[in-house]
Structure formats: structure tokens, C-alpha cells
Amino acid sequence: MTRVEPSSFWYPETTQQLKPVAPRRVRAVLAAVPEGDHESARQVLETRIAQHVPDGRLALAVTDNRYTMISVKREKGLFRLRLHHMFLLAEPEVVRAIGEYVARNDREASRLLGQFIDVHQRKIRRARRAHKPAAVTIETRGEVHDLQDLYDTLNERYFAGAIEARITWGQRLQPGGRRRPRNSIKMGSYSVEDRLIRIHPSLDRAFVPRLFVEWIVFHEMLHQKHDIPVVGGRRQFHTPGFLAEEATFEHFEIARRWEREHLDQLLSY
Ligand SMILES: [Zn+2]
């Protein structure tokens, strides 16, 4: 697989300058493409790119991945191309460059795409900053574990600080409420829209070791990094890539074993 990481991809000495798409046009196009339903726009782009891929069949997937803007895999005469949705707005010369990059790994095309990615990433970052997150009560400091401290440590160690999320303990047991056994427990969750990680307060107890809470937080952070493809008509939240990266957590095996041995205690909250 060819992975194009935007940071290693930018050549400042390039002479070809791409005009950024006018903001009004971006808004108009995005309004025409409802979020989560890029299917018709995807089909149009797939057809446009295919014209520049000689005798190659092309399957295009549009992603919201923050790390990989383009990836190409060749499979039995079929190019599997994944593109960030910023390319839905691409002008003809960019579409041609995508085709040349897919078909021949063309160096000049690669430069042009690098510029396009750079311009649009800045735009996306600005738009994200302008987006007001939903009002939620954030409670990071628990009785035993400090989630912000855990999160910051993990972000630095495993993600080079690239994860941008807020984190909070979930709703606590009401005063006077009684602990009761339950059949299942959702130890963590991640909301894509709010970029918010929630951790179950059952984990904020003295018998729960820090490395176990770390593992749960790490798992939720990975949900921001990995996209959620549709496989066999269903969203696949834990892709093979996700699971492989999850296993890089330093205390992965210990945490899993601890969970098996203490599940009854965790369920009792
Ligand atoms: Zn998950």
C-alpha cells in the first residue's frame, strides 16, 4: 500500500501553484453534499479519476481520515483508492494528477497533490477551530484516576500529541444509589461529533490499576485516528489496522488479563 503522509509530502520549491478553492464555493459544495452521504459525489469523482487511469479499474472510497489523505492498493487489475473528502472539491488538474499518481506513481502528480492537501488541511483546521463543541460537563479528575493526566501522557507517547479530544468521566452513581450487578458495562466511548471521550466511573476505584484505565483511554483515542469503513454493509469500528495498533499498547496483555480476572468487580457499580 502506498501511504502518502501529508507532512513528508510537501515540497516548498515547487513552481506549480494551486489556487485554494474559494470559501463560498466550498460552502456551496458541502451544502450540496449532506454529511455522511457522499455517495453521489463519490461516484462522480470515481468516474472523473477513472478517465485518467488507462485500462485500470478503479474503486474509490472517500474517508474522513486525519492521517492518510491518499492511499492506493493494487488488487488483481483493480486500483483501490482511498481519498480524504477534501478531494470531492478537486479541480480538473488535481483529478488528472490523482489518476497519474494512481496509475504510475508519477512524481510531478505527487507534488501537485501535496500542495492541494496542504492548502486544504489548513482550511479544515481553521473550520474545526471555528466549530463550537456541544456544551458538556467535563470532569477529568476522579477520586483515584486523573483522566487528563492519563490522556496527555498517552497522547505524547503514542500519538506525538496529534489526538484532539476532550475527556471526561461518565455520569456517577447518584448519592444513595445502590451498586448492583449488571450483565455488561461500556467502559469507554468516543463521540466523533463532539470529539469527546467518556470513561465509565466504575473505573475510578482504588482496585483498578492505572494501566487498565490507560488501555481503555488508549482504545478510545484510536477511534479518532482510524476511520470506520463499511464492510459487508456494516460499519467496522475495529478494523484489523485498529486492532493491530491497539496491541502496541505497552501493557496490552496485562490489561487484558486484568480485565478477565476482575470483570465481576467492574460490573458491580
Ligand atoms: Zn472501540
Side-chain angles (χ1 to χ4, degrees):
M1 179 170 3
T2 313
R3 288 176 81 89
V4 181
E5 301 297 339
S7 53
S8 62
F9 195 86
W10 161 242
Y11 297 85
E13 76 275 15
T14 190
T15 50
Q16 261 169 299
Q17 291 295 330
L18 278 180
K19 288 194 300 296
V21 181
R24 203 175 299 145
R25 197 184 143 213
V26 174
R27 274 200 301 275
V29 174
L30 289 182
V33 181
E35 213 168 325
D37 176 28
H38 289 160
E39 182 48 25
S40 54
R42 186 201 64 78
Q43 284 173 12
V44 170
L45 184 59
E46 187 179 65
T47 309
R48 288 173 71 203
I49 298 169
Q51 290 166 359
H52 303 284
V53 181
D55 64 65
R57 286 184 307 128
L58 184 76
L60 171 67
V62 175
T63 75
D64 191 24
N65 196 307
R66 290 163 59 73
Y67 292 86
T68 311
M69 301 295 123
I70 297 183
S71 73
V72 190
K73 214 164 35 169
R74 177 154 210 168
E75 244 173 44
K76 304 184 201 112
L78 174 72
F79 289 107
R80 289 198 178 279
L81 172 62
R82 299 169 65 78
L83 286 179
H84 188 273
H85 62 69
M86 65 168 70
F87 286 99
L88 292 175
L89 302 171
E91 21 321 53
E93 62 264 46
V94 174
V95 172
R96 190 181 336 107
I98 297 170
E100 284 162 1
Y101 178 75
V102 168
R104 302 195 308 274
N105 207 359
D106 183 89
R107 193 178 152 78
E108 196 51 43
S110 164
R111 275 187 200 201
L112 201 79
L113 295 176
Q115 278 205 313
F116 180 87
I117 289 167
D118 192 66
V119 165
H120 284 265
Q121 277 197 316
R122 264 184 264 136
K123 208 185 290 290
I124 287 167
R125 258 180 247 127
R126 273 200 301 275
R128 280 212 171 109
R129 256 179 256 129
H131 171 80
K132 283 245 180 1
V136 274
T137 311
I138 298 287
E139 185 204 346
T140 56
R141 197 171 296 210
E143 284 159 28
V144 181
H145 297 291
D146 183 338
L147 289 178
Q148 193 63 51
D149 178 56
L150 271 156
Y151 168 94
D152 290 342
T153 309
L154 291 164
N155 203 8
E156 201 54 49
R157 167 144 192 211
Y158 292 96
F159 303 99
I163 301 295
E164 290 171 19
R166 294 178 298 162
I167 187 163
T168 183
W169 289 108
Q171 191 131 62
R172 301 202 173 250
L173 205 63
Q174 295 305 305
R178 189 178 294 166
R179 297 208 160 145
R180 58 187 167 82
R182 51 172 90 213
N183 295 324
S184 70
I185 185 169
K186 196 175 191 177
M187 287 186 270
S189 65
Y190 174 66
S191 155
V192 177
E193 297 79 38
D194 301 324
R195 312 194 134 239
L196 178 68
I197 295 169
R198 262 184 228 276
I199 302 298
H200 198 287
S202 173
L203 272 54
D204 190 27
R205 291 186 284 173
F207 74 92
V208 182
R210 178 180 167 106
L211 69 86
F212 183 74
V213 188
E214 270 184 6
W215 176 41
I216 302 297
V217 173
F218 180 63
H219 178 103
E220 300 311 328
M221 293 171 88
L222 286 173
H223 276 304
Q224 180 172 99
K225 177 168 172 181
H226 288 262
D227 34 71
I228 308 163
V230 175
V231 178
R234 303 183 65 167
R235 289 252 173 234
Q236 191 178 30
F237 289 99
H238 304 119
T239 59
F242 182 104
L243 296 173
E245 190 165 354
E246 187 184 26
T248 67
F249 176 61
E250 189 191 353
H251 308 293
F252 184 62
E253 288 304 332
I254 302 172
R256 284 217 303 192
R257 187 161 8 104
W258 190 90
E259 180 181 27
R260 279 196 301 275
E261 289 165 0
H262 297 83
L263 198 54
D264 285 349
Q265 271 171 284
L266 289 171
L267 285 171
S268 155
Y269 181 83

